[in-house]
Amino acid sequence: MKDIILTGDRPTGKLHLGHFVGSLKNRVKLQNEGNYDKMYIMIADCQALTDNFDNPMKIRENLREVALDYLAVGIDPEKTIIFVQSMIPELAEYTFYFMNLVSVARLMRNPTVKNELKLKNMDESIPSGFLNYPISQAADITLFNTTLVPAGIDQEPMIEQTNEIVRKFNSLYGETLNECKILLPDNSVARRLPGIDGNNKMSKSLGNCIYLSDSEEELRKKVMMMYTDPNHVKIEDPGNIDGNTVFTYLDVFANDDYFKKYLPEYQNLDELKNHYKKGGVGDVKIKKFLFNILNEELTPIRIKREELSKNMDYIDEVLIEGTNKARMVAKENIVKFKKALGINYFDKD
Ligand code: ATP
Ligand code: MG
């Protein structure tokens, strides 16, 4: 059986480099290899509202921005169904029944939720909608019979939780739902790219992002203010590469061709790292190198995005068409689900 692929993003801001290396690259690769049954990308506006309920305009403003980012990185609406979460009411229905299968204690133990609560200072004041978002994510995944989810490592606990729900549902009501697997990037750093502050994961909500849509000047500024080694003051000082964000990014983006093109005095990253550790390489030099690489990666995306943004009616068409397609599948799939629960009271068969 070929995979059914589904993944999504919260429209809490434009998409950033973390999305690019953590998930978007894998999505585009899978899409273009074409070896799947169906591929979906969901703009998770309902989930975004769970912690932005007091600012719905933010979600509204970013919905089309996220869609622009998708098309700019190479998501092709002819191959991938892009849809809006809130326009698929069957998702809310699945969520409602799944809530019976998960304890509050289990939700509180979810490490990603725990971490997000800490970052948002939410603890006791946590809205129950936010606490329940892993359940709604299980609905997103299972409604479409998803088997593969290309995502960053913060999604691993969500996939685990989804599969627990699937097993519980199937054991109570009969084999109905599929389990799924996460597809992480091969490069372990790309699974959780840190923000330019070097502290946390790059995250729209934390303001530590390099956006795919940043101008060349914004990109330069952000790279130049990146966290390196605070004890590496003079060029001759030995430098530390652990926790040095510039090197973390180089681990993801640098390749030998980039060295030939932008830093030919070194053959590869190991050589540069060794020299930096010994002393003799300045931070400005490594930052300029990283800027050149990122600018080369992001320029085509930036240009395509700019072009696409001139025709927002087309973006709307893509979203409406994709959502219609997803809705048709949702309506079909919920029949079996309701039958398993025995709430298909008036069906004839
Ligand atoms: P928010 O701050 O609103 O939660 P976010 O920046 O975390 O936004 P999401 O929409 O939550 O982005 O994540 C969408 C997808 O991108 C998920 O698959 C997630 O794993 C992946 N992702 C997000 N940030 C990173 C990152 N820094 N590194 C790798 N993958 C990431
Ligand atoms: Mg997130």
Side-chain angles (χ1 to χ4, degrees):
M1 201 183 79
K2 285 189 176 175
D3 276 315
I4 297 178
I5 303 165
L6 181 139
T7 180
D9 306 276
R10 295 152 41 95
T12 47
K14 295 173 184 172
L15 299 187
H16 53 65
L17 269 187
H19 297 112
F20 186 54
V21 298
S23 171
L24 290 170
K25 274 189 174 186
N26 266 342
R27 297 185 211 176
V28 173
K29 186 164 165 264
L30 288 167
Q31 171 196 274
N32 294 342
E33 284 168 358
N35 188 28
Y36 54 82
D37 182 354
K38 280 216 164 68
M39 180 152 168
Y40 301 94
I41 297 184
M42 183 186 78
I43 308 190
D45 59 336
C46 302
Q47 188 187 120
L49 282 167
T50 63
D51 55 335
N52 292 279
F53 55 88
D54 52 350
N55 189 8
M57 277 316 283
K58 173 165 141 191
I59 309 306
R60 191 182 170 90
E61 278 161 14
N62 282 301
L63 186 93
R64 290 173 177 86
E65 298 293 336
V66 170
L68 270 177
D69 284 322
Y70 289 155
L71 302 194
V73 297
I75 296 294
D76 176 356
E78 296 291 322
K79 297 179 182 159
T80 299
I81 297 171
I82 306 175
F83 70 94
V84 180
Q85 186 182 26
S86 61
M87 292 170 77
I88 312 290
E90 288 76 9
L91 289 172
E93 292 189 63
Y94 266 51
T95 304
F96 189 73
Y97 299 110
F98 283 169
M99 288 200 296
N100 302 329
L101 309 182
V102 186
S103 69
V104 173
R106 174 66 182 89
L107 291 167
M108 296 297 278
R109 272 201 312 273
N110 184 311
T112 302
V113 173
K114 257 188 179 167
N115 190 40
E116 286 168 338
L117 288 180
K118 206 170 87 196
L119 288 172
K120 294 175 210 289
N121 283 326
M122 266 201 306
D123 281 347
E124 287 296 301
S125 60
I126 177 176
S128 57
F130 184 78
L131 187 63
N132 275 315
Y133 94 72
I135 301 182
S136 99
Q137 225 172 298
D140 308 333
I141 292 169
T142 52
L143 174 59
F144 294 94
N145 294 324
T146 308
T147 56
L148 192 68
V149 180
I153 196 116
D154 63 328
Q155 294 307 307
E156 218 167 31
M158 306 303 164
I159 305 296
E160 214 175 282
Q161 181 126 47
T162 298
N163 286 336
E164 275 175 38
I165 292 173
V166 167
R167 286 192 288 271
K168 184 138 190 197
F169 189 99
N170 288 348
S171 73
L172 285 168
Y173 311 121
E175 280 302 312
T176 312
L177 306 172
N178 286 340
E179 288 194 41
C180 67
K181 282 202 197 98
I182 190 167
L183 178 72
L184 295 166
D186 292 334
N187 185 312
S188 62
V189 182
R191 296 173 182 180
R192 186 188 177 280
L193 192 75
I196 53 171
D197 54 357
N199 274 331
N200 292 298
K201 103 171 174 67
M202 184 176 285
S203 182
K204 292 178 235 105
S205 310
L206 298 175
N208 59 2
C209 302
I210 291 178
Y211 292 100
L212 301 179
S213 48
D214 278 347
S215 69
E216 193 168 321
E217 263 334 288
E218 281 165 324
L219 176 66
R220 193 192 312 272
K221 247 192 254 159
K222 287 182 183 177
V223 172
M224 288 303 161
M225 65 196 224
M226 261 165 119
Y227 182 85
T228 54
D229 170 8
N231 298 318
H232 183 245
V233 183
K234 290 199 267 352
I235 292 181
E236 320 77 82
D237 291 342
N240 195 350
I241 57 165
D242 298 325
N244 183 321
T245 319
V246 176
F247 278 101
T248 308
Y249 279 49
L250 288 176
D251 274 328
V252 180
F253 291 100
N255 59 39
D256 296 356
D257 286 341
Y258 282 136
F259 273 96
K260 270 195 209 112
K261 201 163 171 186
Y262 298 119
L263 206 59
E265 61 226 83
Y266 302 93
Q267 297 243 317
N268 54 42
L269 190 55
D270 283 338
E271 269 188 19
L272 178 66
K273 280 180 177 174
N274 285 336
H275 193 186
Y276 188 87
K277 282 193 272 190
K278 256 193 284 169
V281 185
D283 281 353
V284 171
K285 187 171 197 154
I286 55 167
K287 285 181 171 177
K288 275 192 178 152
F289 180 46
L290 179 62
F291 164 76
N292 281 325
I293 295 175
L294 292 182
N295 199 37
E296 179 157 337
E297 299 256 344
L298 294 181
T299 300
I301 298 173
R302 200 186 293 133
I303 292 172
K304 192 160 172 204
R305 199 182 191 283
E306 186 74 36
E307 203 44 50
L308 285 160
S309 69
K310 291 179 192 150
N311 186 359
M312 293 308 282
D313 288 347
Y314 170 66
I315 301 294
D316 283 8
E317 259 169 50
V318 165
L319 290 178
I320 292 167
E321 231 176 78
T323 303
N324 286 340
K325 282 187 197 159
R327 182 81 205 277
M328 264 159 47
V329 178
K331 278 184 175 170
E332 240 172 66
N333 289 354
I334 202 169
V335 173
K336 204 171 139 200
F337 181 90
K338 286 195 164 178
K339 194 172 173 186
L341 279 170
I343 55 171
N344 59 333
Y345 305 112
F346 306 112
D347 278 3
K348 292 284 177 268
D349 57 341

